[in-house]
Amino acid sequence: MITVDCKGIPSLKSPLAVYTSDQVGAVPALKINEFMLAPLSEEEIDSAGVIKAIKSFLESLSIEKHFAVIQKKDTISIIPLDDYKLEERPTQPTDQFFSCVHCGHLTQFETVHRNHMKIHYL
């Protein structure tokens, strides 16, 4: 499982998760400031492919020069290089969901998601 830290681009977290998971063939699980990618099969996710997908996404928005993509073990971070400001997220509720990587359970609440995940490890 690979974690992608999106603290530097919070407004792009959801579309980046969808794009990256489609590119590498993984299941995304959204968290507050990051998302995780779980493999669809027994094979490991190629971190180089994830980095390539993230860079491709940033290039498609023409903002690649403002961010660095850095890997440290199983965590990939997107770090702002300058004071470039992305469009802020709306303050109203969004349709953001948390998905269980084991069974596909969906919820809007991270606390419910964490409690659900515990049942898989009993």
Side-chain angles (χ1 to χ4, degrees):
M1 196 174 299
I2 293 179
T3 302
V4 179
D5 181 1
C6 298
K7 287 179 191 148
I9 56 166
S11 62
L12 296 177
K13 178 186 65 174
S14 294
L16 176 61
V18 171
Y19 180 82
T20 305
S21 64
D22 283 348
Q23 295 296 312
V24 298
V27 178
L30 297 174
K31 295 179 114 184
I32 292 175
N33 292 317
E34 61 191 17
F35 63 89
M36 300 176 84
L37 296 171
L40 291 174
S41 63
E42 297 296 321
E43 295 179 17
E44 294 278 327
I45 297 174
D46 179 29
S47 59
V50 174
I51 291 170
K52 182 178 176 186
I54 293 169
K55 287 182 178 182
S56 173
F57 180 81
L58 295 173
E59 285 174 14
S60 72
L61 298 173
S62 300
I63 59 172
E64 72 279 359
K65 64 184 175 188
H66 301 290
F67 297 94
V69 181
I70 300 170
Q71 180 179 6
K72 187 180 242 184
K73 296 185 182 179
D74 286 338
T75 302
I76 298 171
S77 300
I78 303 165
I79 311 290
L81 296 175
D82 52 24
D83 291 335
Y84 181 77
K85 298 289 183 195
L86 289 171
E87 207 174 284
E88 289 297 317
R89 296 167 58 175
T91 56
Q92 61 195 12
T94 62
D95 58 346
Q96 195 168 353
F97 289 94
F98 298 92
S99 173
C100 176
V101 297
H102 301 290
C103 68
H105 175 262
L106 288 174
T107 182
Q108 259 185 305
F109 308 102
E110 187 173 13
T111 310
V112 173
H113 175 68
R114 283 188 198 147
N115 288 336
H116 170 82
M117 291 295 285
K118 291 176 185 176
I119 68 169
H120 291 291
Y121 300 103
L122 294 176

